């Protein structure tokens, strides 16, 4: 029998577990994600501005 048959997702996990690496995203990934999101929105806003200005003239 495996442990997965007796797994209960509603019971809290013990505090002493050492799987914090699985639960947290690495800091570099978070920084890169935020940077890509900001850069993507800046590019989208610039394109929107370009099409808005070109549409009026």
């Amino acid at each position: 029998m495996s442990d997965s048959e007796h797994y209960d997702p509603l019971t809290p996990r013990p505090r002493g577990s050492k799987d914090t690496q699985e639960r947290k995203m690495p800091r570099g990934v978070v920084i890169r994600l935020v940077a890509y999101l900001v850069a993507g929105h800046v590019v989208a806003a610039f394109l929107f501005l370009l099409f808005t200005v070109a549409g009026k003239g």
Side-chain angles (χ1 to χ4, degrees):
M1 294 209 150
S2 65
D3 291 338
S4 62
E5 293 178 7
H6 303 291
Y7 175 71
D8 182 14
L10 299 178
T11 56
R13 295 163 46 110
R15 282 281 181 193
S17 65
K18 296 189 178 195
D19 64 346
T20 56
Q21 186 67 23
E22 290 181 10
R23 296 230 174 248
K24 293 195 311 187
M25 288 178 63
R27 184 181 177 111
V29 173
V30 173
I31 292 172
R32 196 175 313 138
L33 177 67
V34 170
Y36 287 158
L37 283 172
V38 168
H41 281 85
V42 167
V43 169
F46 179 69
L47 288 174
F48 179 76
L49 179 69
L50 256 121
F51 281 104
T52 303
V53 169
K56 295 201 186 235

